[in-house]
Amino acid sequence: MNILLLGSGGREHAMAWKIAQSPLCKYLYIAPGNPGTAECGQNVPIAVRDFNAQVDFCRENKVDLVVVGPEDPLVLGVVDHFAEHLPTVPVIGPPAEGAQLEGSKAFAKEFMQRHAIPTAAYRSFTVAEKAEGLAYLQQHDLPLVLKADGLAAGKGVLICQTLEEATEGFIAMLDGMFGDASSRVVVEAFLEGIELTVIVLTDGQSWKVLPPSKDYKRIGEGDTGLNTGGMGAVSPPPFATPAFMTTVEEQVIAPTIKGLRTDGIAYKGFLYFGLIKVGDAPFVIEYNCRMGDPETQVIMPRIFSDIIPLYLSVARGDLAEAEFETDPRAAATVVLASSGYPGSFEKGLEITGCEHLEDCMLFHAGTVSDDQGILYTNGGRVLALSCYGTDLPEALRNCYTNTARIYFGNRYFRRDIGWDVV
Ligand code: AMP
Ligand code: GLY
């Protein structure tokens, strides 16, 4: 069968890598893709937001299935667009209404409250409610968390230690610190615990829990500095014990899937739970309507089963009967970034050494190649190196042996990925 994958990051390269291994895959197209996805299929120059062009492409090229990588097209309604204009081609992803779980923090918080899903206590405020919000901050415990309501590329969160910081941040957000995304601000209680990512694939009724992982969001070692998209990840995190994962399924996953059904949302696709483990209890800090990046770069390698039958089961709604096997090996990924990221950074620096990698999967994110196939940096997060190991320490050692083999100007990476959990 022919598949179109939307997106162009490291996540999409890992998704393309997995799809391309399936004997069921005839042609894989990636729109717009990157030099890495070009090794798994054919890149096509269609933007992730250009739904009309995607529908035309699927018609002309007999595409049987669309898989969506990033949140943007989902929040903008790519699934609804296909349902209206090309209903014979299933799209793996939720409709716009379901994508609101990621697209609006206030929507997500209301959803969790309505369906009794554990999350931090909160209130949300718009510009019109500024005075009320400021008064609410006055009597709130510290530290507290401010979140831009809308999509802010993982950057719209401020953790405030003092009332001054909270007041300043709150006003700045309502004044447009994150553009439209912060025209509504969620104020929530700070939770002290350890974070992890649990992603499920669901057909709206049943689900498969993908291998749990932990990503490292801050730019600096020891989890310091600005938030990024993610600088590395490991799977499985040792503290995600079977008992804890059972609790997550009972207290978080099951009520979320049931809640979506109750609310009349036909959610088919990936659903990402950003969790914080407080003692033995899981709390949801965020939902995403897609896979994580760089979590995908450790999760896809740990899915043993062919992914295409799983996608087809999601589309048909019989996922409960599908086979799902994970790879017992551990996996780790380290992101090689451009120094300066998540602020400004230089692009166009030559990347060398890819051919020297050993026992390592190389996933491209921000790269371009020229006519001769020479690679250059083209983004903040440039490459992700993923390795297996019999256990996490071995997977991490393999990653860090390989980081030394690849080079580009201004290369930066965290040397402490995974150290806190092994
Ligand atoms: P989010 O964009 O909601 O994932 O938040 C970004 C980061 O802020 C998370 O990865 C956490 O490290 C932190 N964070 C968000 N909400 C809370 C909370 N209620 N308590 C503690 N940390 C939080
Ligand atoms: N790595 C965090 C995310 O994809 O949202």
Side-chain angles (χ1 to χ4, degrees):
M1 58 189 298
N2 301 330
I3 298 177
L4 172 65
L5 172 67
L6 301 184
S8 62
R11 166 184 47 216
E12 286 75 22
H13 186 183
M15 294 172 86
W17 170 86
K18 183 67 184 164
I19 292 170
Q21 289 169 33
S22 172
L24 297 173
C25 179
K26 190 165 164 219
Y27 290 109
L28 170 62
Y29 301 103
I30 309 96
N34 66 35
T37 62
E39 291 166 12
C40 310
Q42 186 187 328
N43 289 345
V44 291
I46 297 176
V48 294
R49 290 173 168 228
D50 193 347
F51 305 159
N52 287 325
Q54 291 157 17
V55 164
D56 290 345
F57 181 86
C58 288
R59 276 209 187 95
E60 283 156 22
N61 295 277
K62 301 199 162 43
V63 167
D64 304 291
L65 177 74
V66 178
V67 181
V68 185
E71 62 276 19
D72 233 46
L74 294 167
V75 172
L76 293 171
V78 66
V79 171
D80 312 75
H81 188 93
F82 270 79
E84 186 180 340
H85 298 281
L86 193 56
T88 50
V89 175
V91 182
I92 302 303
E97 203 187 356
Q100 283 298 94
L101 283 181
E102 172 167 5
S104 164
K105 301 263 186 209
F107 177 94
K109 294 296 280 191
E110 282 158 26
F111 176 90
M112 287 186 265
Q113 202 162 50
R114 192 161 61 245
H115 300 294
I117 293 153
T119 187
Y122 82 103
R123 280 191 56 186
S124 80
F125 303 92
T126 61
V127 181
E129 298 155 333
K130 191 170 179 176
E132 210 183 325
L134 288 170
Y136 182 73
L137 294 179
Q138 295 270 348
Q139 48 87 46
H140 201 292
D141 287 344
L142 292 165
L144 60 75
V145 185
L146 301 178
K147 296 186 177 181
D149 178 48
L151 289 181
K155 287 161 201 143
V157 175
L158 299 179
I159 299 192
C160 306
Q161 304 293 339
T162 66
L163 180 59
E164 290 68 47
E165 264 178 65
T167 306
E168 238 172 71
F170 182 75
I171 294 172
M173 274 191 172
L174 286 180
D175 285 350
M177 182 177 188
F178 300 107
D180 266 358
S182 63
S183 62
R184 178 190 284 274
V185 177
V186 170
V187 180
E188 77 175 37
F190 180 83
L191 296 171
E192 184 78 59
I194 187 157
E195 282 181 54
L196 76 156
T197 300
V198 175
I199 302 174
V200 302
L201 179 63
T202 180
D203 60 1
Q205 302 277 337
S206 126
W207 60 85
K208 302 291 181 200
V209 183
L210 309 187
S213 62
K214 174 171 166 51
D215 84 333
Y216 292 79
K217 291 203 176 80
R218 304 293 198 92
I219 189 67
E221 287 168 17
D223 291 330
T224 54
L226 294 175
N227 249 331
T228 70
M231 296 299 294
V234 296
S235 176
F239 60 89
T241 58
F244 178 71
M245 293 302 289
T246 301
T247 309
V248 169
E249 241 181 308
E250 288 170 0
Q251 295 184 6
V252 174
I253 299 171
T256 298
I257 304 294
K258 185 158 173 260
L260 286 164
R261 270 213 315 280
T262 305
D263 293 352
I265 297 172
Y267 197 112
K268 286 172 182 273
F270 294 104
L271 180 49
Y272 171 124
F273 301 86
L275 302 177
I276 194 155
K277 181 177 186 244
V278 183
D280 284 327
F283 288 81
V284 177
I285 50 179
E286 66 168 343
Y287 286 118
N288 290 319
C289 58
R290 50 163 175 87
M291 295 278 299
D293 188 344
E295 290 96 325
T296 307
Q297 290 90 311
V298 288
I299 294 173
M300 282 301 164
R302 295 202 61 231
I303 299 178
F304 188 77
S305 305
D306 186 340
I307 197 83
I308 292 185
L310 286 161
Y311 287 146
L312 293 175
S313 293
V314 167
R316 286 191 304 261
D318 58 15
L319 187 62
E321 284 116 69
E323 283 214 15
F324 181 74
E325 243 186 286
T326 58
D327 191 307
R329 288 173 292 178
T333 193
V334 174
V335 171
L336 305 184
S338 303
S339 153
Y341 171 76
S344 57
F345 50 82
E346 211 176 323
K347 289 184 189 176
L349 302 167
E350 188 176 338
I351 302 167
T352 54
C354 298
E355 67 282 10
H356 300 310
L357 298 176
E358 277 175 36
D359 297 325
C360 180
M361 297 157 270
L362 174 67
F363 295 122
H364 291 233
T367 68
V368 280
S369 67
D370 66 12
D371 314 342
Q372 270 95 55
I374 296 174
L375 276 180
Y376 300 90
T377 63
N378 192 41
R381 293 190 291 174
V382 178
L383 295 164
L385 303 183
S386 298
C387 295
Y388 288 112
T390 50
D391 54 16
L392 266 188
E394 188 180 279
L396 288 163
R397 272 198 305 278
N398 289 340
C399 274
Y400 282 111
T401 305
N402 280 294
T403 54
R405 296 183 169 132
I406 220 160
Y407 185 75
F408 51 88
N410 296 344
R411 183 193 62 167
Y412 169 80
F413 60 91
R414 274 181 64 167
R415 289 166 199 274
D416 66 339
I417 300 302
W419 69 269
D420 57 328
V421 294
V422 301

